[in-house]
Amino acid sequence: MVKYVAFMFKIHQPVRLKPFTAFNFSNYVKYGLEDMYDHPLNKDVFIRASRKCYIPATRIIVEEARSTGFKATFSVSGVWVEAALRYCRDTVDLLRDAADAGCCFTAQTYYHSISPIFQSLDEMAEQIDMNRSMIEDVFNIKPKVADTTEFIYNNDIGLKIWSMGFKAAVTEGAERILKWRSPNYIYQSCISNLKIFTRNYRLSDDVAFRFSNRLWDQYPLTADKYAYWISKSSGDLVFIAVDYETFGEHQWPETGIMDFLRYLPRKLRENGVEAITLNEAIDLLNPVDTIDVPPQNTLSWADAEKDLTAWIGSPLQAKALQIYEYLEPYVKAIGNPYLKHWRYMGVSDNFYYISSKHGSSGEVHMYFSPFKRDVDAYTSFTSWLTLFYREVIEKYIEKITEYAWRINLPKNLSYKFNNIEVKSLNDLYQIIKSYSEKASQHLIDGNIQKWIREVFLWNDLAASIDDEVKKNIDKAAEAALKTLEKFKAPK
């Protein structure tokens, strides 16, 4: 019989874009990038969720933590905290009370973003670091556990999280990975010492999706019944993770969900089960086996498929991601405010809305989406993205002699020199210097110049290298180095 249970509550609200209309476009032209966002709607949704969920649910958890020793783990996106501090600071104060009462926090991607799906995981790591710093600053807790957007996980993601100093990560307890094994144990990555918590999705979904379903053969779900189910589970630890909005927003108060939350801690204790945080579980329990999640079998907790198809399962989603991801090196070269806006647009919800799924998964997507059709979501999002794209490239071109030297390219845009990936102009300089003879042929053929034109968008530099190489065919590498030095941005 299981002795421990760990509850995780995921807290996030997207920064919603306005629908793309002629009127909204005209305001964008007048007022700029900030007018892409539907701030009145964002405020209304946040205040409603605060009233129905965040405030009453957190008060219950704080009361139970102080009276029964109940503990939970919160996963809070940075954009949610930004909104909370803007619209309803009481929600943050209550979470601070929960931290003081023994609850803990994980570090997720700051923008609850699509970044774990990128070819490079550097943006994901940057956002997790941002979130970790925010949690320390706002709640005075240093997270030991990382959880990426919607529990997206594979071996590469686990290795990146381990390299960042985290002790554990979370993901879905899907049968295709666990096979015959139970999710009610701690596992370890097959390529590092990172501990892995696997969500018991059946017990989690009993609360998140089935709680108010009168056609369910276990309806009604009471705190007593649920605590009994947990106590009779085999294993070391039952890991339950749900969206926090389950309590009062997705499952309305009239369903009895708040009473369920209030009485569950004491019923767990009566059944001999202790509610602990993930931080405590790391120290209390040891892994029983390793799990192998290759990138082609990436997990998430989304939909029945529990993979990446919630965000890139259709051609429209894949196209939107391609356009979005292409901008990364340019916005990072320019910096804020463009980087901030790019990250807001990369909130995973924007890609979730474009899903064309049907059946039970499609119904969940439609519940959350403000659009009636996937093509409407795609058209609106990519219209804003295209306008933003144009503005970023124009800004980049204005100071290309400065920004181009800051570019650090992803794998798909890098120049392939033998087995070396050239990701920047500084890399290019070192490669030409170190492999002058081999680099000369690339320069004489014009391949490097073509890369500079098409990727760095720097026609003047490419043309100057062309001219100097043609004048000095026998010393092509030397000519290219001198040209790069001439165009080098001052430090």
Side-chain angles (χ1 to χ4, degrees), residues 26-92:
S26 67
N27 283 336
Y28 167 86
V29 173
K30 289 179 186 176
Y31 306 116
L33 290 170
E34 196 63 39
D35 212 70
M36 291 190 298
Y37 309 112
D38 198 335
H39 293 303
L41 177 61
N42 291 329
K43 180 179 180 180
D44 288 347
V45 170
F46 196 92
I47 290 175
R48 184 189 70 208
S50 297
R51 175 175 51 83
K52 295 179 68 176
C53 169
Y54 305 141
I55 291 175
T58 311
R59 280 177 176 163
I60 290 172
I61 289 171
V62 171
E63 289 169 7
E64 294 306 313
R66 289 171 175 168
S67 62
T68 69
F70 177 80
K71 296 174 184 176
T73 301
F74 294 95
S75 171
V76 186
S77 73
V79 291
W80 184 91
V81 172
E82 290 179 7
L85 293 174
R86 186 181 302 120
Y87 303 133
C88 188
R89 298 181 71 93
D90 286 352
T91 57
V92 174

Side-chain angles (χ1 to χ4, degrees), residues 20 316 354 371 373-386:
F20 190 84
L316 293 181
I354 304 173
F371 300 94
R373 301 182 302 164
D374 58 321
V375 69
D376 296 332
Y378 172 79
T379 301
S380 187
F381 176 69
T382 53
S383 295
W384 288 122
L385 184 58
T386 301

Side-chain angles (χ1 to χ4, degrees), residues 205-257:
D205 290 352
D206 285 342
V207 178
F209 295 109
R210 290 182 281 272
F211 184 84
S212 60
N213 183 1
R214 292 178 178 270
L215 299 178
W216 182 32
D217 62 0
Q218 295 298 324
Y219 180 87
L221 180 61
T222 63
D224 196 11
K225 183 190 295 186
Y226 194 65
Y228 177 79
W229 288 352
I230 292 173
S231 71
K232 295 303 179 182
S233 299
S234 60
D236 292 336
L237 172 80
V238 174
F239 175 38
I240 307 291
V242 298
D243 287 329
Y244 202 29
E245 292 83 4
T246 295
F247 301 100
E249 178 72 4
H250 301 162
Q251 305 287 347
W252 290 7
E254 292 81 359
T255 65
I257 192 71

Side-chain angles (χ1 to χ4, degrees), residues 9 51 70 97 112 149 266 334 349 357 361 392 419 458:
F9 303 124
R51 175 175 51 83
F70 177 80
D97 291 342
H112 199 77
T149 306
R266 62 197 72 177
I334 297 171
D349 305 65
K357 288 186 177 183
S361 295
V392 166
N419 293 322
W458 201 349

